[in-house]
Amino acid sequence: MMAPARVLVVDDSPTMRGLITAVLNADPEVNVIGQAGDAMEARNAIKQLNPDVVTLDIEMPNMNGLEFLDKIMKLRPMPVIMVSTLTHRGAEASLMALEIGAFDCVGKPQPGDARPFGDLAEKVKAAARSQRRFHAEPPPLAPATANVNPADSYRAGRKVVAIGASTGGVEALIAVLQKFPVNCPPTVITQHMPPTFTKSFADRLNRLCAPVVQEATDGARLEIGKIYLAPGGERHLQISNPHAPCCRLVERDPVNGHRPSVDVLFDSVAELAGRNAVGVILTGMGRDGASGLLKMRHAGARTIGQNEKTCVVYGMPRVAFELGAVEHQFPLSSIGEEILKITAARREGSE
């Protein structure tokens, strides 16, 4: 049996520190070993206690959570889970934190929440187990113009691309989509993310990547050069209409504990597109997307999984690989280029 994950809780609110500590200590596999009210206290506590994981408030006095996270990742890289308000401003800050190197983000409780902090304990345990290599300094994001497959050398064929991701998916999707040219194949994505985060994330991707990236809307036509991100919250993303493929947002119960669910998206792609599709499963906790990717492969689609070494959490890709859903595993740095090789029109002359 593994030792409990040792956690340092950092938040300027004594009430919030108490709530987080109570939620985490309710799990026998987690042990809160200390608390800190600001960055200076946290710095000293990290030195003295050597925690496995830190939970870090974004908004703190003196030095905010983003500044402190940046210092952690440069000077003493370790798993950090950010705790944020579920507001537009909080979403922007959380996305910045994930790009700096945070393991994941959770929202602060809202009135009426049945499970305050959601699956924070599970994320803490995954962070403690993670084999992720924390680098002294994250690699800089390449500008959208630095694309290795410029539009004049790529022409999309008939395939649609479907991508699923969870923990670690923000950085992973940026890495994949920055390889796409402005005329990329139609691409649909489900990334597990709170409702208020997905619009900000789509806008962020749109600024960083050559194609148009937008939050999916019901009825939006799938077009070359466009990427559609499932909105978080109350509905699942599917594709429908074989004659004019489009996005559909459907009201259904959560699947695998998620809404939107990767499996729901992949199932619809398998049914509608069959062999004219590429399925990609990226880093993430749990198993969402594994069975849907298997359906895609059985329907004739090409399927790709992120390899263990480059995953923040090798959960979803591992289950998919063990089910036989993954045709090839690749390191994250290669996945964008592999998608373009498969979807280029010159590869589809016989289809």
Side-chain angles (χ1 to χ4, degrees), residues 17-35:
R17 292 198 301 271
L19 285 172
I20 295 171
T21 298
V23 167
L24 292 178
N25 280 342
D27 190 312
E29 297 178 3
V30 180
N31 179 24
V32 175
I33 59 171
Q35 299 182 5

Side-chain angles (χ1 to χ4, degrees), residues 52-332:
D52 299 318
V53 182
V54 172
T55 70
L56 179 59
D57 184 20
I58 286 184
E59 297 181 3
M60 295 191 301
N62 302 320
M63 180 186 294
N64 68 38
L66 290 178
E67 293 174 309
F68 186 52
L69 174 67
D70 188 56
K71 289 186 179 296
I72 291 174
M73 290 302 155
K74 288 178 178 176
L75 302 175
R76 194 187 186 284
M78 63 187 304
V80 177
I81 296 176
M82 307 302 292
V83 181
S84 166
T85 55
L86 294 177
T87 62
H88 176 75
R89 181 180 174 188
E92 292 285 346
S94 297
L95 292 171
M96 289 178 63
L98 292 168
E99 291 177 30
I100 291 170
F103 180 84
D104 209 338
C105 293
V106 298
K108 290 187 175 180
Q110 303 295 305
D113 277 357
R115 294 181 62 220
F117 300 104
D119 55 356
L120 175 59
E122 291 301 318
K123 291 183 177 181
V124 162
K125 291 185 286 187
R129 293 191 301 264
S130 175
Q131 297 182 13
R132 178 181 183 177
R133 297 179 178 178
F134 289 89
H135 299 284
E137 186 162 0
L141 294 172
T145 54
N147 198 297
V148 297
N149 287 278
D152 59 3
S153 65
Y154 174 84
R155 185 165 62 89
R158 297 193 299 271
K159 286 182 167 60
V160 61
V161 177
I163 303 176
S166 186
T167 306
V170 167
E171 291 175 285
L173 285 168
I174 291 171
V176 170
L177 300 180
Q178 282 195 320
K179 299 289 181 71
F180 280 23
V182 67
N183 57 341
C184 72
T187 300
V188 285
I189 299 171
T190 290
Q191 158 74 45
H192 298 156
M193 190 171 274
T196 52
F197 283 30
T198 46
K199 177 64 167 61
S200 295
F201 186 38
D203 291 344
R204 178 76 171 147
L205 288 171
N206 191 51
R207 292 193 296 269
L208 290 171
C209 303
V212 173
V213 185
Q214 61 192 50
E215 196 174 40
T217 56
D218 191 57
R221 289 279 300 270
L222 298 190
E223 299 176 3
I224 288 174
K226 290 190 177 181
I227 298 170
Y228 308 83
L229 179 69
E234 300 302 316
R235 295 183 289 178
H236 296 281
L237 173 62
Q238 296 180 326
I239 65 169
S240 67
N241 193 344
H243 304 295
C246 64
C247 297
R248 286 295 177 205
L249 300 179
V250 296
E251 295 184 1
R252 280 178 52 186
D253 290 337
V255 174
N256 301 316
H258 297 285
R259 186 169 54 199
S261 161
V262 181
D263 268 332
V264 172
L265 175 62
F266 284 176
D267 287 353
S268 72
V269 175
E271 181 176 348
L272 187 78
R275 66 199 299 261
N276 286 322
V278 180
V280 182
I281 194 161
L282 301 176
T283 174
M285 291 169 50
R287 60 181 302 117
D288 189 31
S291 66
L293 193 70
L294 184 62
K295 289 180 182 178
M296 287 186 66
R297 190 172 187 189
H298 285 164
R302 305 291 301 275
T303 60
I304 291 172
Q306 186 176 347
N307 70 357
E308 181 174 6
K309 186 176 181 180
T310 61
C311 279
V312 172
V313 179
Y314 188 60
M316 290 158 49
R318 176 186 61 80
V319 177
F321 181 74
E322 291 174 353
L323 283 177
V326 175
E327 181 183 356
H328 295 292
Q329 290 192 109
F330 293 107
L332 180 60

